[in-house]
């Protein structure tokens, strides 16, 4: 049974915070997390060898709102005959590099991508199907399945129009301790929501933000401009470590989001309300920050 939220609210000038009772029986509500950088990276790595070198024969759009741009008729016209030259990722966006365009896919809450052999019969929640042909004439399909319909697809010759506002990639050279410390001090925001802000830093979501803050011993409600150089260094190292560990374990699996990984078996705090902190044994607490579940250790992660 899910623990009831208490009435008590912490005073905060930035976002409302609701204290929630600790419970080891609490389960995250549907939609509280979504594929983050490690999950999308895992999907991209898995699909790359199955897609590169194939040509898109045609597209079947089964839910019009899945397509963010262009309009459906234009999309079908432009995508037909495009060769898939590369499969990459930027933040939480899956990217197909085509002959003349980029096809960007954001999985949002429940999106999933699979390559299936042959001409397929669509399943109920398949929103977009790209029929592919290999150099050997073999047929296959890239299927975007999305139960909750929040996922979006863009076909564009200018991917920066969609991706341009994103912050730096945390596993890139641009993400340094110096950058992080300065960027934190240019803001006056609570740490947790700031780490979730994709225009600040791209790719972190609820899971990896909570895990990073715990590893860095930083309280999720600390203000960003209070972080010292040493703390910024610890946070930088923690973010890189949890993301690399997430990728190494093929991401975290949740049955409504993503089923491939096993990082969920190694969470330090996320989804562990009431369970002992792996460092000090104190019960992990769960609070709501900016409408998102936030998990932390009240002993290890204090506000100075
Ligand atoms: Zn602790």
């Amino acid at each position: 049974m899910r623990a009831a939220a208490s009435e008590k609210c912490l005073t905060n000038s930035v976002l409302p915070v609701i204290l929630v009772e600790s419970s080891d029986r609490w389960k995250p509500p549907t939609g509280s997390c979504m594929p983050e950088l490690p999950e999308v990276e895992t999907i991209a790595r898995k699909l790359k060898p199955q897609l590169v070198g194939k040509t898109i024969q045609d597209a079947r759009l089964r839910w019009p709102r899945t397509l963010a741009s262009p309009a459906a008729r234009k999309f079908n016209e432009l995508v037909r005959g495009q060769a898939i030259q590369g499969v990459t990722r930027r933040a939480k966006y899956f990217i197909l590099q085509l002959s003349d365009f980029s096809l960007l896919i954001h999985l949002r809450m429940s999106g999933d991508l699979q390559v299936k052999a042959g001409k397929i019969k669509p399943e109920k929640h398949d929103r977009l199907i790209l029929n592919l042909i290999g150099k050997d004439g073999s047929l296959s399909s890239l299927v975007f399945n999305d139960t909750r319909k929040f996922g979006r697809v863009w076909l564009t010759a200018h991917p920066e129009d969609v991706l341009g506002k994103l912050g730096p990639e945390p596993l890139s050279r641009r993400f340094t301790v110096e950058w992080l410390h300065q960027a934190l001090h240019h803001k006056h925001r609570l740490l947790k929501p700031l780490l979730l802000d994709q225009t600040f830093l791209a790719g972190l979501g609820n899971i990896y933000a909570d895990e990073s803050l715990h590893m860095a011993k930083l309280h999720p409600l600390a203000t960003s401009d209070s972080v010292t150089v040493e703390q910024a260094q610890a946070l930088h190292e923690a973010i890189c470590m949890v993301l690399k560990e997430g990728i190494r374990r093929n991401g975290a699996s949740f049955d409504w989001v993503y089923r491939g990984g096993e990082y969920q078996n190694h969470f330090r705090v996320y989804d562990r309300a009431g369970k002992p902190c792996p460092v000090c044994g104190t019960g992990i607490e769960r609070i709501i920050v900016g409408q998102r579940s936030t998990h932390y250790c009240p002993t290890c992660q204090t506000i100075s």
Side-chain angles (χ1 to χ4, degrees):
M1 185 186 294
R2 188 178 161 192
S6 80
E7 297 293 320
K8 185 177 176 184
C9 289
L10 290 178
T11 302
N12 190 286
S13 60
V14 186
L15 286 166
V17 178
I18 303 169
L19 280 176
V20 175
E21 295 167 14
S22 295
S23 167
D24 60 359
R25 299 171 67 190
W26 179 83
K27 292 293 173 211
T30 299
S32 70
C33 61
M34 62 177 78
E36 303 181 28
L37 188 158
E39 288 75 34
V40 181
E41 177 72 22
T42 302
I43 293 169
R45 288 183 184 186
K46 180 185 165 195
L47 297 189
K48 185 176 181 179
Q50 301 175 59
L51 291 172
V52 172
K54 293 186 175 168
T55 298
I56 299 170
Q57 285 188 305
D58 55 49
R60 277 185 282 173
L61 180 65
R62 304 186 69 248
W63 178 254
R65 286 171 60 189
T66 292
L67 192 59
S69 75
R73 185 178 291 180
K74 189 79 174 169
F75 175 82
N76 285 328
E77 196 180 294
L78 295 177
V79 86
R80 202 172 294 145
Q82 290 286 307
I84 301 174
Q85 298 178 336
V87 176
T88 57
R89 174 198 59 77
R90 170 78 169 104
K92 302 176 193 174
Y93 290 81
F94 176 88
I95 305 173
L96 282 189
Q97 292 167 335
L98 307 177
S99 326
D100 303 311
F101 304 99
S102 294
L103 185 77
L104 313 176
I105 303 174
H106 199 302
L107 304 175
R108 297 271 170 81
M109 293 292 183
S110 59
D112 192 18
L113 285 166
Q114 287 183 30
V115 175
K116 296 183 177 178
K119 282 263 182 188
I120 62 154
K121 189 179 170 195
E123 293 184 10
K124 185 178 177 186
H125 301 300
D126 290 348
R127 307 301 177 193
L128 175 67
I129 299 169
L130 299 179
N131 293 319
L132 311 173
I133 184 164
K135 287 173 181 164
D136 59 357
S138 62
L139 300 178
S140 59
S141 301
L142 174 62
V143 181
F144 179 46
N145 183 285
D146 186 17
T147 308
R148 302 189 68 203
K149 301 178 184 171
F150 290 114
R152 291 292 178 269
V153 173
W154 295 256
L155 181 70
T156 176
H158 307 286
E160 285 305 304
D161 290 350
V162 180
L163 307 174
K165 289 182 180 174
L166 291 169
E169 280 286 315
L171 296 179
S172 73
R173 287 184 182 175
R174 199 179 145 200
F175 181 60
T176 63
V177 175
E178 293 72 26
W179 177 87
L180 181 61
H181 184 246
Q182 284 187 13
L184 290 169
H185 278 256
H186 278 125
K187 307 277 184 184
H188 180 65
R189 301 264 307 271
L190 300 179
L191 277 182
K192 173 69 186 287
L194 184 58
L195 291 181
L196 296 183
D197 183 343
Q198 300 298 295
T199 65
F200 178 74
L201 185 64
L204 282 185
N206 220 24
I207 295 173
Y208 295 92
D210 280 3
E211 295 293 296
S212 299
L213 288 169
H214 180 266
M215 187 177 280
K217 298 187 186 300
L218 284 167
H219 196 287
L221 302 180
T223 49
S224 58
D225 49 357
S226 71
V227 172
T228 65
V229 175
E230 291 74 23
Q231 288 174 323
Q233 190 161 12
L235 182 59
H236 179 272
E237 190 178 329
I239 289 170
C240 293
M241 281 183 71
V242 299
L243 290 176
K244 285 177 182 170
E245 183 68 2
I247 292 170
R248 196 175 74 79
R249 296 187 183 280
N250 296 321
S253 294
F254 286 93
D255 57 2
W256 62 86
V257 178
Y258 169 77
R259 302 161 194 87
E262 54 114 7
Y263 191 51
Q264 70 281 3
N265 299 321
H266 304 274
F267 286 162
R268 301 162 68 93
V269 288
Y270 187 81
D271 196 24
R272 296 193 65 245
K275 292 179 181 170
C277 167
V279 176
C280 72
T282 304
I284 299 299
E285 290 191 2
R286 183 176 81 95
I287 55 176
I288 305 295
V289 182
Q291 299 180 318
R292 304 299 300 273
S293 291
T294 294
H295 309 79
Y296 74 104
C297 169
T299 302
C300 293
Q301 297 167 263
T302 54
I303 298 179
S304 51

